Amino acid sequence: METGRASPDECPFCAIVDGRAPASVVRRWPDSLAIVPLSPVTAGHTLIIPKTHVADIGVDPAVSAATMRRAAELAAEFGACNIITSRGELATQSVFHLHLHLLPRRRQDGLPLPWAPEPNRQDSAEPPSVSAISHWIKREYYYGGAGV
């Protein structure tokens, strides 16, 4: 089990929702808030957080879906953008309250993503097949991993 999960009393996003901590609020909904992160990585970078304390996207699918709906509403107001979330420390989650990053994109914005093609990339490896990905998921999550 991963560590680092904060209780609602210790959670910085719960403190924002409860008015115990400041934030630049972009939009308010009955179930969510959109705020400017402390260190935006692109112009317009916004975090969408549920008002209910949910540690990550896998904990409560209904809250996760409602939060994604709010992110989609904001995304409709932008052109190109990414919506990104992380689940767990290994996936780079650092605040254990569900949050979606809405990242407006512009040409030459300097934000690299691991799945985006890089100019002059020398990697010619074929991406894994759907069958290989399915096999990996079954092995890791349904059958307890290989040798783990």
Side-chain angles (χ1 to χ4, degrees), residues 120-132:
N120 304 319
R121 187 173 179 171
Q122 299 298 315
D123 184 9
S124 62
E126 290 292 318
S129 68
V130 171
S131 175

Side-chain angles (χ1 to χ4, degrees), residues 81-140:
C81 65
N82 294 105
I83 297 175
I84 301 171
T85 191
S86 300
R87 181 173 195 232
E89 292 173 13
L90 292 176
T92 70
Q93 185 178 7
S94 59
V95 177
F96 288 87
H97 181 119
L98 172 64
H99 56 288
L100 305 176
H101 294 261
L102 186 141
L103 300 154
R105 301 304 303 266
R106 292 162 186 79
R107 289 194 194 286
Q108 312 280 319
D109 64 13
L111 181 63
L113 295 173
W115 53 82
E118 296 177 33
N120 304 319
R121 187 173 179 171
Q122 299 298 315
D123 184 9
S124 62
E126 290 292 318
S129 68
V130 171
S131 175
I133 293 169
S134 175
H135 176 75
W136 181 84
I137 290 170
K138 287 176 185 173
R139 183 187 74 217
E140 293 298 316

Side-chain angles (χ1 to χ4, degrees), residues 1-145:
M1 190 55 102
E2 294 191 45
T3 60
R5 297 186 186 265
S7 73
D9 291 336
E10 301 167 331
C11 174
F13 290 156
C14 287
I16 290 169
V17 167
D18 294 342
R20 295 180 283 123
S24 296
V25 177
V26 174
R27 179 98 27 101
R28 293 178 194 274
W29 297 275
D31 57 355
S32 303
L33 286 178
I35 62 173
V36 177
L38 292 176
S39 301
V41 297
T42 65
H45 181 179
T46 305
L47 299 178
I48 298 84
I49 60 173
K51 289 183 176 179
T52 301
H53 182 80
V54 173
D56 61 54
I57 198 161
V59 172
D60 187 328
V63 171
S64 298
T67 307
M68 179 57 83
R69 177 181 178 175
R70 300 312 185 186
E73 290 172 8
L74 279 181
E77 298 174 16
F78 291 95
C81 65
N82 294 105
I83 297 175
I84 301 171
T85 191
S86 300
R87 181 173 195 232
E89 292 173 13
L90 292 176
T92 70
Q93 185 178 7
S94 59
V95 177
F96 288 87
H97 181 119
L98 172 64
H99 56 288
L100 305 176
H101 294 261
L102 186 141
L103 300 154
R105 301 304 303 266
R106 292 162 186 79
R107 289 194 194 286
Q108 312 280 319
D109 64 13
L111 181 63
L113 295 173
W115 53 82
E118 296 177 33
N120 304 319
R121 187 173 179 171
Q122 299 298 315
D123 184 9
S124 62
E126 290 292 318
S129 68
V130 171
S131 175
I133 293 169
S134 175
H135 176 75
W136 181 84
I137 290 170
K138 287 176 185 173
R139 183 187 74 217
E140 293 298 316
Y141 294 99
Y142 295 112
Y143 304 119

